[in-house]
Amino acid sequence: MDNLLSQALNKANMGMIIVDKQLKVVLWNGWLERFTGKGSEEVVGQNLLEVCPRFKLNMYLNILQNALYNGQSRFCSSALHKAFILPGEGEDQHFFKQNMHVDPLYEDKRSYALIQISDMTSTNTRVYKLKNLIKELDVEYNKIKISEQISKHLSLHDTLTGLPNRMAFNDRLVLAMNHAQRSEGKLAVMYVDTDGFKQINDGYGHDVGDQVLLETAKRLKENIRSTDIVARHGGDEFSIILSELKDSQHAENVAKKLAAAFEMPFEIADNHIYLSVSIGVSLYPEHGQESSMLLKYADLAMYRIKKNGKNGYAIFDAEKDHTR
């Protein structure tokens, strides 16, 4: 049986040391021989503090003394203590992680301390790699989310001006109409077309033309409320939602303000460029209950201004704007 127990101790996948009250090594198993390169015959009978210098630290001496004299068990985690038994020469001693259990043993009224060393190096390495993998996945996930947000933004916004595009405008108009319906409120849709933009593009070039469009978007935004919406409908055409109107006069006042905002020239590339706008206005719920109809009627009203000399605004009139 003693031989069987000896084989079992030497096959155990952990280090096992037994010391007496004088801290002399009574047992040094096969795992420790393989790990440290020190055979049992050269360790047994030696003082543990000479064999394993780390146990000279007061913390570990106290743990051993409490096991030997007070019968106390103790567990020390690799997370805090790293390694207790150092490997043989040529190994990186900082790489290893070990857990330690210290328990009292008794035989013939004599006290011993059993020190069990569990190698946690591979486990800690796997945990470390897993944590890094989780961090990498988290970074990639955030990149994907940001990419999706950018893609969504680009799909709903004009690349030149940054304004909502036609698709986004239509969605927001439906939402604004639903809100107006629930609150029994009013809103206006404006269709804004610049006058003579083609001549500016042809005369000054597309770079200047783009700057004109940017300044146009800026002036439109500066002359409506922050709760209103301006979008680039396409080319040199813009559309606006005026929400929560008190009455149609409010829409007219905004249209006048917008037209007046273009009386001053654009100063671009040392050029003074004059540009006016033609604005058509439709009202909800007076002129329609569908977003497509409101846009169509605002467009028809704008076209009437174009035919009558440009540079102004008009409220949709079913008698005047029924054909185009």
Side-chain angles (χ1 to χ4, degrees), residues 195-209:
D195 302 324
F197 177 75
K198 185 178 184 304
Q199 288 76 13
I200 293 172
N201 239 357
D202 293 342
Y204 294 96
H206 290 284
D207 288 343
V208 172

Side-chain angles (χ1 to χ4, degrees), residues 234-295:
D236 61 329
E237 297 176 340
F238 297 83
S239 48
I240 296 173
I241 301 171
L242 302 179
S243 57
E244 299 182 7
L245 294 182
K246 293 181 180 179
D247 49 44
S248 59
Q249 185 60 50
H250 183 184
E252 288 195 53
N253 292 340
V254 174
K256 290 177 183 177
K257 184 178 180 182
L258 290 173
F262 289 84
E263 292 176 357
M264 296 295 293
F266 295 108
E267 296 183 8
I268 299 172
D270 297 327
N271 298 300
H272 287 69
I273 300 173
Y274 287 87
L275 184 74
S276 61
V277 292
S278 297
I279 305 170
V281 183
S282 63
L283 303 170
Y284 173 88
E286 290 92 324
H287 298 145
Q289 304 290 320
E290 296 181 6
S291 59
S292 59
M293 296 305 296
L294 291 177
L295 280 167

